[in-house]
Amino acid sequence: AFTINMFITLSILQYKFIRTYCIYVSIVPFLVAVTHIFQTYVGNIRYINVRYLYISDTHANLGGEIAAVTALTIALSCRPAVAILLCLVLLFDSYLMSSRAAMLSALLITCSIMLQYAMTRRNVISLSIIVLFGTLVPLMFLLYFQRIVQFVSDIFYIEDEYRGVGTGYVGREERWAMGWRQFLDSPIVGNGITTFNDLTNINPHNSLLISLSQHGVLAILFWSLVLSAYYNIYRKNIYHFLYFVSMGVL
């Protein structure tokens, strides 16, 4: 809901007001992220199942999603050098909550900002960034491939007993399969918006499958509008396009 409301607001604002809006909307969640990090290290945040909860014992995925959306609004409103530093804070907060989709989204946004900074600034720093990503990073990847793979696996719990790939993405493979079957049961008009109100009918945990299950092929119209919006962003600003594509991970 947080992400959808943010996107709806951005879609109805005039382009010239988006930056100002994003500046003000970034302040509170960023300060909350800093507070959350501090509270975590002083022991005031509960640690459950390899992850810290969010503020007031709310779900860690909620905190991660808010952090990722805040990274987006910061990217849209701040100078690249400042945005990179602020996004790194949000990325670290997502790491504490082990919110994997949010971590990946914030990481992609941060990398996109760095790319923008390197490509739009013509100075020693920007050239250094280009050299770093163009030569050193691939070299380090080749030299320390196994360690990097293990590090990524540890960060994203890929081999974890409870959250790894072996769990079927924490049981979501079954949910996705059920969502697809529900779509096939009524592909034209769908099963209605109350499909998942029944507690015995498990939510597919996927926006695309939820919309297809509820509305059938009519959902394709909605997603085509989303893709059209992405295309329009791409035509106006390639870096903004990369930011929004990064949010697609959520």
Side-chain angles (χ1 to χ4, degrees):
F2 183 86
T3 304
I4 291 173
N5 285 327
M6 174 66 66
F7 279 16
I8 290 175
T9 304
L10 290 174
S11 67
I12 63 178
L13 283 174
Q14 292 185 29
Y15 186 77
K16 62 182 179 180
F17 296 126
I18 288 180
R19 182 176 182 275
T20 302
Y21 170 78
C22 287
I23 290 175
Y24 286 103
V25 83
S26 301
I27 295 174
V28 171
F30 180 79
L31 292 177
V32 171
V34 173
T35 302
H36 180 258
I37 293 171
F38 174 76
Q39 292 292 331
T40 297
Y41 276 90
V42 297
N44 292 335
I45 302 294
R46 284 206 296 162
Y47 184 80
I48 299 178
N49 295 332
V50 304
R51 67 198 316 190
Y52 288 97
L53 298 180
Y54 192 46
I55 299 296
S56 300
D57 282 350
T58 49
H59 201 289
N61 285 345
L62 169 65
E65 180 177 325
I66 292 174
V69 175
T70 306
L72 171 67
T73 56
I74 286 174
L76 292 172
S77 59
C78 296
R79 291 178 298 171
V82 175
I84 291 170
L85 294 176
L86 299 182
C87 285
L88 288 175
V89 174
L90 296 168
L91 179 60
F92 181 67
D93 194 34
S94 299
Y95 164 74
L96 290 177
M97 293 179 284
S98 185
S99 182
R100 294 175 290 185
M103 275 195 291
L104 185 55
S105 180
L107 177 62
L108 291 173
I109 290 173
T110 305
C111 291
S112 298
I113 299 171
M114 295 176 71
L115 177 64
Q116 177 186 6
Y117 184 79
M119 298 302 293
T120 56
R121 308 274 293 194
R122 302 300 180 185
N123 54 33
V124 175
I125 296 178
S126 63
L127 291 176
S128 299
I129 293 175
I130 294 174
V131 171
L132 176 65
F133 278 89
T135 59
L136 294 183
V137 171
L139 181 61
M140 294 294 290
F141 188 80
L142 291 174
L143 292 175
Y144 301 100
F145 177 77
Q146 292 296 334
R147 292 185 181 180
I148 292 174
V149 170
Q150 187 60 50
F151 175 74
V152 172
S153 177
D154 293 342
I155 291 293
F156 290 98
Y157 297 96
I158 295 175
E159 300 177 358
D160 186 75
E161 179 181 359
Y162 303 104
R163 303 183 66 199
V165 176
T167 64
Y169 300 99
V170 199
R172 291 177 186 175
E173 281 185 349
E174 295 180 3
R175 289 172 174 245
W176 297 338
M178 180 177 293
W180 182 248
R181 289 195 298 269
Q182 289 174 332
F183 166 64
L184 295 180
D185 288 341
S186 183
I188 305 300
V189 296
N191 299 283
I193 60 175
T194 60
T195 304
F196 305 111
N197 288 356
D198 185 353
L199 295 179
T200 62
N201 199 1
I202 301 175
N203 189 307
H205 210 288
N206 179 280
S207 298
L208 176 60
L209 290 174
I210 289 174
S211 61
L212 288 172
S213 300
Q214 292 180 332
H215 306 291
V217 293
L218 291 176
I220 297 176
L221 175 61
F222 166 76
W223 290 107
S224 65
L225 294 175
V226 173
L227 292 176
S228 175
Y230 270 80
Y231 177 68
N232 289 333
I233 295 172
Y234 170 78
R235 292 176 58 190
K236 290 182 178 179
N237 191 311
I238 182 63
Y239 301 110
H240 288 181
F241 171 75
L242 293 176
Y243 301 155
F244 280 96
V245 167
S246 300
M247 288 299 299
V249 176
L250 291 179

